[in-house]
Amino acid sequence: MSKKVLLEVKNVKQHFRIDRKTIVKAVDDISFEIYEGETFGLVGESGSGKSTTGRTIIRLYDPTDGEVTFDGKNISAKKLTKEDRAYVNKNMQMIFQDPMACLNPRMTVSDIIAEGLDIHGLCKTKEDRTQRVYELLRTVGLNEQHASRYPHEFSGGQRQRIGIARALAIEPKFIIADEPISALDVSIQAQVVNLLRKLQTENGLTYLFIAHDLSMVKYISDRIGVMNKGKLVELATADELYENPLHPYTKSLLSAIPLPDPDYEKGRTRIKYDSKMHDYSRETPQWVEIRPGHFIYGSKSELDQYEIELTTKEITI
């Protein structure tokens, strides 16, 4: 992983108007950076805004406000130049949560995988196209015989591999993986995650890995951001976040992770989170770097308490 910033999200908002009086703030003024070659995990409960963040980055939704910069190009501008749009489409791809819903049931696997190749004119001949499809199938653990089949003929794990092959087809720099394993069996989840890690090493890929399973996110991520109700509430390296969680919401999520230890599970105490514990009527919350690389969202009094907590741990250690 290099320290070159590949993607920067700056004060991004994504608000949806339900009716004349109701606006849902799905993403509400968040900022973070993703370095080239890293996996940035984004976690939170359903409805926290993490998937909306991914879809806003890739321009499935136009942002309400804020700026997204990819490889030095502002890709959140309302009117992208033809060249910039082509660059983004070529270098940014997405793996979706439901491997069946995102594959056209009327298209063969070969045509699904080659769709990006056709759009960008990356294969000069039909034979080149066929060989590229075969190569991609082998890369994700499938074989040439699968090319002529249709999505309904595959298992969930195989369909997700097809989705990964499609995302890899045009050799992107950056992939948004939106809950790519949540619809799969546990044994298959590990296979898909290991495949993503292998492909990252071989191709120098950068991932935004969106999920709610913190144990799996820790396994694959270099850094992790925690979202709650449209806000980014904490961000740190994977090890730092698990060893020194500060925000009550992060602690609540971590306390829910089960371990394969019956004795531990019998005594495990789930930390309950209530957003009412934050009183921001008198103090405006801020997004601050409390330690190098460790960011936290809170009011002045909360930040003081977090500082005491970290200092106490350092003294104890």
Side-chain angles (χ1 to χ4, degrees):
M1 181 185 74
S2 72
K3 279 295 182 180
K4 176 188 174 183
V5 175
L6 181 65
L7 181 93
E8 182 179 9
V9 174
K10 189 174 181 181
N11 303 120
V12 165
K13 299 179 182 179
Q14 186 57 259
H15 298 174
F16 298 103
R17 181 174 291 279
I18 306 302
D19 52 45
R20 286 190 296 177
K21 295 183 179 180
T22 308
I23 295 178
V24 175
K25 296 180 179 181
V27 178
D28 194 23
D29 196 18
I30 68 170
S31 300
F32 60 89
E33 297 174 341
I34 299 180
Y35 301 121
E36 190 173 63
E38 83 165 328
T39 296
F40 184 94
L42 194 59
V43 300
E45 297 172 302
S46 296
S48 62
K50 57 189 187 299
S51 290
T52 303
T53 299
R55 289 166 181 259
T56 301
I57 289 171
I58 206 168
R59 288 297 293 265
L60 291 178
Y61 304 138
D62 289 332
T64 303
D65 198 6
E67 185 174 293
V68 179
T69 303
F70 177 69
D71 205 13
K73 302 177 186 293
N74 179 6
I75 63 171
S76 55
K78 289 188 176 180
K79 290 186 178 180
L80 285 179
T81 65
K82 185 177 179 180
E83 292 76 15
D84 283 352
R85 185 174 294 279
Y87 183 82
V88 171
N89 291 342
K90 169 72 172 62
N91 288 286
M92 189 182 290
Q93 290 292 303
M94 194 163 191
I95 301 169
F96 294 92
Q97 177 177 359
D98 188 339
M100 188 60 189
C102 69
L103 302 178
N104 190 330
R106 295 182 177 86
M107 293 174 68
T108 64
V109 167
S110 178
D111 288 337
I112 288 170
I113 293 174
E115 190 171 16
L117 300 173
D118 297 340
I119 290 170
H120 293 276
L122 298 179
C123 293
K124 296 181 179 179
T125 67
K126 189 174 181 180
E127 179 61 25
D128 287 343
R129 181 184 188 267
T130 299
Q131 290 305 315
R132 178 61 176 152
V133 169
Y134 289 167
E135 179 188 342
L136 287 161
L137 285 170
R138 290 192 293 268
T139 297
V140 298
L142 298 174
N143 59 56
E144 298 177 5
Q145 287 70 42
H146 291 133
S148 60
R149 299 182 187 177
Y150 290 85
H152 72 271
E153 299 179 67
F154 296 88
S155 67
Q158 288 174 319
R159 286 195 289 265
Q160 194 59 285
R161 288 170 184 266
I162 294 167
I164 294 170
R166 177 177 60 184
L168 291 172
I170 56 176
E171 300 180 349
K173 292 183 177 181
F174 179 62
I175 292 179
I176 299 173
D178 184 13
E179 303 251 18
I181 59 174
S182 63
L184 307 177
D185 292 338
V186 175
S187 59
I188 306 301
Q189 288 182 1
Q191 292 178 22
V192 172
V193 168
N194 287 333
L195 172 62
L196 290 172
R197 289 181 63 138
K198 176 175 176 286
L199 293 171
Q200 183 176 41
T201 301
E202 293 175 350
N203 300 293
L205 294 168
T206 304
Y207 292 137
L208 171 59
F209 190 88
I210 300 168
H212 61 268
D213 182 349
L214 273 82
S215 58
M216 190 60 75
V217 170
K218 182 179 186 295
Y219 174 68
I220 195 173
S221 301
D222 298 292
R223 293 185 301 139
I224 299 173
V226 181
M227 284 194 73
N228 178 46
K229 294 184 177 179
K231 290 286 189 183
L232 199 58
V233 297
E234 192 161 4
L235 190 162
T237 63
D239 290 339
E240 171 70 11
L241 192 75
Y242 276 71
E243 292 171 8
N244 297 307
L246 295 176
H247 198 279
Y249 181 69
T250 306
K251 292 178 179 179
S252 175
L253 291 180
L254 290 172
S255 73
I257 298 176
L259 293 177
D261 183 341
D263 294 331
Y264 170 83
E265 286 301 311
K266 286 180 182 178
R268 177 162 63 97
T269 302
R270 172 74 187 269
I271 299 174
K272 294 183 178 179
Y273 174 73
D274 186 353
S275 60
K276 294 179 182 178
M277 67 176 63
H278 306 288
D279 181 9
Y280 295 146
S281 60
R282 295 182 180 180
E283 295 179 299
T284 302
Q286 306 172 63
W287 178 247
V288 301
E289 189 172 15
I290 198 165
R291 287 287 189 277
H294 193 158
F295 296 82
I296 189 81
Y297 181 77
S299 64
K300 177 65 170 60
S301 57
E302 287 176 333
L303 295 172
D304 290 342
Q305 186 58 46
Y306 298 148
E307 187 70 48
I308 292 171
E309 187 176 332
L310 278 175
T311 304
T312 302
K313 283 185 178 181
E314 290 171 356
I315 293 173
T316 302
I317 294 172

